Amino acid sequence: MTVSMHAASVPVFKQFLGSLSALLDKAQAFAADKKIEPEVLLQSRLYPDMFPLQRQVQIACDFAKSVSARLADAEVPSYPDDETSVEQLQARIAKATAFIDSLEPLLFEGSEARDVVLRPGTPKERRFSGTDYLLHYGLPQFYFHVSTAYAILRHNGVEVGKRDYMGQG
């Protein structure tokens, strides 16, 4: 059985972006119940040298859209990192989801062998086949940031569990 690059990427990104959205809803409800500003949670970190929740969500969205775009040989959309509220982060998640939804499965055909070059012409240039890019770079990076967002909320007392992390598959 062969799994298409589209099937191995877009539905996974959509599932976990949906999970992030639901996690943010729970965070907002938790903040209201505990009478704390939601922005306190958005600025929370697991450790001082790590990004806060707000940035984890932004980066997860960035990986979902950029990995999908590169595999579909489409232009990677650029979003400013200016969200400061749960509502704005929800809008970013919705925008990233709408973008990856707009990429037709046919665009992904042959992407397993397509060359993906990150930071071309710089000392940090990295080259991948499409398969290696998705499986060994894009998905692990995406999962890291979604997992860290989950962990930040759990660490701060938001009642979330594995089912919340997994979202609706």
Side-chain angles (χ1 to χ4, degrees):
M1 176 178 96
T2 302
V3 176
S4 74
M5 293 292 281
H6 180 273
S9 59
V10 170
V12 174
F13 291 134
K14 287 175 56 178
Q15 176 182 339
F16 284 89
L17 288 175
S19 166
L20 268 180
S21 178
L23 289 169
L24 289 175
D25 285 342
K26 284 197 168 199
Q28 194 161 34
F30 173 84
D33 184 55
K34 300 294 182 185
K35 297 183 180 16
I36 60 175
E37 293 297 321
E39 290 73 23
V40 171
L41 292 175
L42 296 182
Q43 292 307 313
S44 294
R45 306 164 187 257
L46 290 177
Y47 196 76
D49 69 349
M50 293 180 75
F51 287 130
L53 174 63
Q54 167 189 352
R55 188 74 183 115
Q56 299 293 343
V57 173
Q58 291 167 335
I59 295 171
C61 290
D62 289 348
F63 271 100
K65 69 180 173 63
S66 64
V67 170
S68 299
R70 288 185 182 106
L71 292 176
D73 202 23
E75 187 172 331
V76 177
S78 177
Y79 304 161
D81 297 324
D82 58 2
E83 296 87 5
T84 58
S85 69
V86 171
E87 295 80 13
Q88 290 170 340
L89 287 171
Q90 291 284 23
R92 185 183 183 114
I93 292 168
K95 187 166 43 171
T97 302
F99 171 73
I100 63 176
D101 258 344
S102 76
L103 299 171
E104 294 295 326
L106 286 174
L107 296 173
F108 290 76
E109 287 186 9
S111 65
E112 59 278 348
R114 184 175 295 135
D115 286 332
V116 176
V117 182
L118 303 178
R119 298 181 190 96
T122 72
K124 291 184 175 185
E125 180 175 290
R126 294 193 64 189
R127 293 180 171 272
F128 302 91
S129 69
T131 298
D132 286 344
Y133 174 62
L134 176 64
L135 298 178
H136 301 287
Y137 183 79
L139 285 174
Q141 293 279 351
F142 176 73
Y143 286 135
F144 174 83
H145 293 286
V146 173
S147 298
T148 303
Y150 167 87
I152 289 168
L153 292 175
R154 187 74 181 108
H155 176 74
N156 278 279
V158 179
E159 292 184 21
V160 293
K162 185 176 181 181
R163 217 174 267 190
D164 299 297
Y165 169 78
M166 292 301 296
Q168 301 298 314

